[in-house]
């Protein structure tokens, strides 16, 4: 005779799964959802030096932001920084991954070198580049002097400072992107290349018609992750330039940090957090809407 299980017994698997997921839910709640909700709440208030809400001001913090020349400059600098870093990081990582995917003797050594930046912290990487950018003792200016070119004020010049921070960020991002793209290349079926060679296809034809389309899901993932990470860049800016000179590298994340923990203006800082979240959300959704059309999942 067939026994009928109670609803409690039927839900046993769901309860077990929820129990295993509970630690993750707690961590996400404490370190992601609570800060997001609290930032949204504080963005409508004046706060004291301890970050406690003191007076409801509605959208006044947002009005202050969009009337602030500093905030507009910060958004402009952030967008330029993203334009500098995302395409450059992806192109360099893809180029290195294609090279490292070749079956050559000793290629494992170069794979390790290309991925080595993955194991370095932001602080250590930024300090290395800080010494390299030094106007008199840095290796970059020493190289320029050796080939009879003028020295460059990498971090002191408002034009070059953002480029210098972007260069550092590209170097830091390359290891992760390279490793993921190399894994994607190694998952492409070799029979596709063999069939193309039999049909007389050259290397660049294979690259454009086989490698890039088959790698497009991985490329889309890397572009999305690099795009979001560029908006969240902080450590290298803090160590290399401190947002200067003349606000030339004052990315929005650094602006939020300075507004909250230097000036103790938690209301405007929270409003900047909300604006950044919405901007990244909208741009990411647009990327999924228009970019995913060119992704081949099979």
């Amino acid at each position: 005779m067939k026994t009928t299980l109670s609803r409690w017994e039927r839900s046993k698997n769901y309860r077990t799964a929820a129990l295993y997921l509970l630690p993750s839910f707690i961590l996400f709640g404490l370190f992601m959802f609570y800060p997001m909700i609290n930032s949204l709440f504080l963005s409508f208030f004046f706060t004291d030096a301890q970050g406690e809400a003191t007076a409801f001001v509605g959208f006044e913090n947002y009005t202050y932001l969009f009337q602030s020349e500093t905030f507009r400059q910060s958004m402009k600098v952030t967008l330029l920084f993203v334009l500098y870093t995302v395409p450059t990081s992806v192109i360099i990582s893809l180029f290195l991954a294609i090279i490292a995917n070749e079956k050559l003797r000793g290629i494992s050594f170069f794979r390790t070198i290309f991925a080595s930046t993955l194991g370095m912290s932001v602080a250590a990487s930024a300090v290395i580049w800080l010494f390299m950018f030094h106007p008199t003792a840095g290796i970059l200016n020493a190289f320029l002097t050796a080939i009879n070119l003028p020295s460059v004020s990498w971090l002191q010049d408002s034009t070059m400072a953002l480029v210098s921070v972007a260069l550092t960020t590209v170097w830091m991002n390359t290891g992760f992107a390279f490793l993921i793209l190399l894994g994607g290349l190694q998952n492409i079926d070799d029979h596709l290349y063999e069939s193309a060679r039999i049909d007389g296809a050259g290397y660049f034809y294979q690259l454009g018609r086989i490698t890039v389309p088959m790698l497009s899901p991985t490329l889309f993932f890397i572009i999305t992750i690099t795009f979001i990470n560029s908006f969240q860049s902080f450590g290298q800016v803090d160590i290399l330039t401190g947002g200067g000179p003349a606000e030339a590298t004052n990315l929005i994340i650094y602006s939020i940090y300075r507004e909250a923990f230097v000036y103790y203006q938690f209301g405007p800082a929270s409003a900047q957090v909300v604006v950044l979240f919405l901007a990244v959300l909208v741009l990411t959704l647009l990327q999924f809407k228009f970019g995913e059309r060119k992704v081949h999942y099979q």
Side-chain angles (χ1 to χ4, degrees):
M1 182 177 178
K2 190 184 236 182
T3 58
T4 303
L5 297 175
S6 66
R7 181 177 296 178
W8 176 260
E9 292 172 326
R10 290 199 305 270
S11 65
K12 180 180 179 181
N13 289 338
Y14 295 103
R15 287 184 281 110
T16 303
L19 188 62
Y20 280 112
L21 291 172
L22 184 60
S24 298
F25 288 150
I26 293 173
L27 290 174
F28 273 104
L30 286 175
F31 297 107
M32 182 174 291
F33 299 122
Y34 170 72
M36 286 174 59
I37 295 170
N38 194 48
S39 295
L40 180 62
F41 171 77
L42 289 177
S43 69
F44 296 106
F45 287 83
F46 280 143
T47 62
D48 57 22
Q50 286 72 41
E52 297 295 332
T54 57
F56 179 77
V57 294
F59 289 95
E60 190 171 328
N61 286 326
Y62 295 94
T63 304
Y64 162 76
L65 281 186
F66 289 106
Q67 290 177 347
S68 169
E69 180 63 31
T70 300
F71 177 73
R72 291 198 295 268
Q73 172 69 10
S74 176
M75 289 296 294
K76 177 183 175 182
V77 167
T78 302
L79 292 174
L80 280 174
F81 179 78
V82 171
L83 289 175
Y84 289 162
T85 55
V86 175
T88 310
S89 296
V90 173
I91 291 171
I92 291 176
S93 301
L94 179 60
F95 175 72
L96 294 177
I98 290 172
I99 293 175
N101 193 46
E102 297 295 327
K103 296 177 176 61
L104 301 173
R105 182 178 296 178
I107 197 65
S108 298
F109 170 77
F110 291 98
R111 290 174 181 171
T112 304
I113 295 298
F114 295 157
S116 60
T117 59
L118 183 62
M120 299 187 67
S121 67
V122 174
S125 302
V127 169
I128 290 171
W129 281 92
L130 183 63
F131 282 108
M132 293 175 65
F133 287 133
H134 195 278
T136 55
I139 190 173
L140 296 180
N141 277 343
F143 174 76
L144 293 176
T145 303
I147 59 175
N148 296 321
L149 290 177
S151 298
V152 176
S153 299
W154 297 98
L155 301 177
Q156 292 75 33
D157 182 80
S158 58
T159 304
M160 290 301 301
L162 186 63
V163 175
S164 302
V165 176
L167 179 62
T168 304
T169 305
V170 168
W171 183 80
M172 289 163 50
N173 291 342
T174 297
F176 172 77
F178 160 77
L179 206 59
I180 299 299
L181 290 171
L182 180 61
L185 286 171
Q186 292 181 341
N187 282 328
I188 299 176
D189 194 344
D190 287 336
H191 291 93
L192 296 173
Y193 294 107
E194 291 175 6
S195 300
R197 283 192 291 269
I198 291 171
D199 291 338
Y203 177 81
F204 290 103
Y205 184 88
Q206 296 177 43
L207 187 65
R209 295 303 181 92
I210 298 175
T211 303
V212 173
M214 296 300 294
L215 193 62
S216 57
T218 309
L219 271 172
F220 183 73
F221 168 77
I222 286 297
I223 291 170
T224 304
I225 294 298
T226 306
F227 176 79
I228 295 172
N229 287 341
S230 293
F231 272 99
Q232 298 175 341
S233 298
F234 170 79
Q236 58 270 43
V237 177
D238 188 39
I239 293 173
L240 291 174
T241 63
E247 307 291 332
T249 60
N250 186 29
L251 303 184
I252 188 168
I253 284 288
Y254 192 79
S255 176
I256 292 169
Y257 158 78
R258 192 164 61 179
E259 197 78 30
F261 301 110
V262 176
Y263 305 137
Y264 299 103
Q265 298 294 322
F266 293 96
S270 297
Q272 288 188 64
V273 170
V274 175
V275 171
L276 175 61
F277 171 76
L278 292 176
V280 173
L281 178 63
V282 169
L283 291 173
T284 303
L285 289 175
L286 289 174
Q287 185 177 347
F288 270 88
K289 180 175 177 60
F290 297 106
E292 200 173 17
R293 295 176 181 176
K294 298 183 179 180
V295 176
H296 301 272
Y297 288 105
Q298 292 182 350

